[in-house]
Amino acid sequence: MARIKTIGLMTSGGDAPGMNAAIRAVTRAGIYNGFNIMGIYRGFDGLINDEMKPFTTENVSGIIMSGGTILKTARSKEFMTPEGRQKAYDNMQKHEIDALVVIGGNGSLTGAMQFAQEFDVCCIGLPGTIDNDLYGTDSTIGYDTTMNTIMECVDRIRDTAQSHERIFFVEVMGRDAGFLAQNSAIACGAEAAIIPEESTDSDQLARFMERGIRKSKKSCIVIVSESPKCGALYYADRVKKEFPNFDVRVSILGHLQRGGRPTAHDRILASRTGVGAIEAIMQGQRNIMIGVRNNEVVYVPLCEAIRSDKPFDKKLIKVLDELSI
């Protein structure tokens, strides 16, 4: 196998706080160990459209504290086609890029895995997603910052909920994973969390209404995982119909959750996994995600990382139930 000399670096999919810290880590660790780093703009679209330039340590100075991504990001429809992937590979060859480091979530790492299989290129993934839904790592880059953002927002909403004696349904991101909703509910002292992992078990709204709100509390906060069918608006409408005596409001936090200065935890996670990506390439590793599990850097095969069944700790539900009486 030919020695890797040039590493292409991109961010892909939804942005997450800490991505810039990861870009900085990969760039500086790469240069320190003798590699050339090629910054690729706008994810896989940039690889297809030849939007890239060599990166130096100066390119990543003063970015560790910034949210978003200096490399920009996109969800590439063209990369989903064989023609798009061929264009991307041709541009890799043109710039003599020998390996790719892709910072992104489930969709981005799925694309990286497919690309690696089709063209036999070295792809290393970093877990950059606020959803925390990648298997094999305790936390993903951006998750901790987002949870703190949600906590700050809900703390403010609670002031209004208590002043007006209202039920507030607060919708948070997370797609098919309830990690953000459940843990932020515990952190905020919310009365309930409605999450996808519980959706088949019971009517979560009915259980919550029966358990607490009508007995002792006139105001409360319910954190709801976003869902096209059963988001915060759906549950608020149900309460208005089934319990018309309650004053109900909805707050959808939306993209507010994605931005902001990354926490120390996310900066450290991004830095450790970024350095880990370069170490993995030097060891000859291919087609893996760099994670941190039990405070140790680990290599997770991409096919495992993108599995949708990251274990959800059901004990967290019990914790919230007991503390929200």
Side-chain angles (χ1 to χ4, degrees):
M1 190 170 66
R3 189 175 82 83
I4 289 170
K5 296 177 184 174
T6 301
I7 298 168
L9 171 62
M10 69 168 75
T11 49
S12 172
D15 63 294
M19 279 184 164
N20 280 329
I23 292 167
R24 173 183 179 271
V26 173
T27 300
R28 292 197 166 178
I31 290 168
Y32 179 88
N33 287 287
F35 296 101
N36 302 314
I37 304 295
M38 188 70 73
I40 301 165
Y41 288 84
R42 296 173 187 84
F44 291 111
D45 270 351
L47 201 54
I48 291 167
N49 299 319
D50 201 2
E51 295 183 74
M52 55 189 88
K53 72 174 188 181
F55 259 35
T56 65
T57 57
E58 288 77 17
N59 288 103
V60 296
S61 291
I63 66 168
I64 194 169
M65 74 292 290
S66 303
T69 160
I70 62 164
L71 283 173
K72 314 300 181 190
T73 187
R75 290 183 168 93
S76 177
K77 289 184 179 175
E78 193 176 355
F79 191 76
M80 295 178 186
T81 67
E83 297 79 13
R85 291 191 293 274
Q86 183 64 55
K87 273 193 211 172
Y89 180 69
D90 292 344
N91 281 327
M92 272 189 76
Q93 297 293 96
K94 173 182 162 185
H95 291 280
E96 299 182 334
I97 296 172
D98 310 303
L100 277 182
V101 175
V102 179
I103 307 165
N106 202 293
S108 304
L109 299 195
T110 300
M113 182 180 72
Q114 189 172 6
F115 191 58
Q117 289 168 346
E118 276 183 29
F119 296 99
D120 193 29
V121 296
C122 171
C123 288
I124 306 292
L126 294 193
T129 167
I130 67 170
D131 299 339
N132 198 32
D133 60 349
L134 289 169
Y135 182 87
T137 185
D138 291 339
S139 186
T140 56
I141 297 164
Y143 171 64
D144 185 68
T145 306
T146 299
M147 201 157 46
N148 277 278
T149 300
I150 293 168
M151 184 180 70
E152 288 176 21
C153 291
V154 174
D155 285 351
R156 288 166 168 78
I157 289 169
R158 187 178 284 284
D159 292 344
T160 269
Q162 289 177 336
S163 299
H164 291 271
E165 299 184 322
R166 287 172 176 159
I167 299 177
F168 258 91
F169 287 90
V170 181
E171 185 172 296
V172 302
M173 288 180 170
R175 207 170 51 171
D176 302 318
F179 298 101
L180 272 178
Q182 189 69 39
N183 281 307
S184 62
I186 293 170
C188 300
E191 278 67 34
I194 296 177
I195 56 171
E197 287 83 355
E198 281 261 279
S199 60
T200 56
D201 295 350
S202 63
D203 184 338
Q204 294 179 76
L205 180 68
R207 194 181 72 193
F208 153 66
M209 294 300 285
E210 286 161 11
R211 179 170 51 92
I213 184 64
R214 287 185 294 173
K215 293 175 188 168
S216 60
K217 296 188 179 180
K218 292 181 178 176
S219 74
C220 71
I221 304 283
V222 182
I223 311 290
V224 184
S225 265
E226 64 182 352
S227 164
K229 294 178 181 175
C230 300
L233 288 167
Y234 163 81
Y235 288 107
D237 285 342
R238 272 192 57 190
V239 171
K240 286 174 187 174
K241 288 172 188 168
E242 297 172 30
F243 305 94
N245 54 317
F246 287 111
D247 190 5
V248 181
R249 293 290 187 276
V250 171
S251 186
I252 298 172
L253 299 187
H255 287 84
L256 184 69
Q257 298 160 84
R258 284 200 183 278
R261 295 165 69 93
T263 58
H265 180 278
D266 277 331
R267 297 182 199 193
I268 294 165
L269 176 63
S271 299
R272 291 184 71 189
T273 53
V275 169
I278 299 302
E279 288 178 353
I281 289 169
M282 291 168 68
Q283 292 170 14
Q285 298 282 346
R286 294 164 70 85
N287 314 331
I288 56 167
M289 181 191 79
I290 312 297
V292 173
R293 206 161 50 216
N294 299 323
N295 206 32
E296 295 288 332
V297 173
V298 293
Y299 300 158
V300 186
L302 286 175
C303 59
E304 281 190 30
I306 60 178
R307 288 184 351 192
S308 58
D309 58 345
K310 180 171 181 174
F312 182 87
D313 187 356
K314 293 286 183 87
K315 292 175 187 169
L316 294 172
I317 297 168
K318 185 173 183 287
V319 169
L320 184 61
D321 281 354
E322 291 190 9
L323 298 182
S324 62
I325 57 171

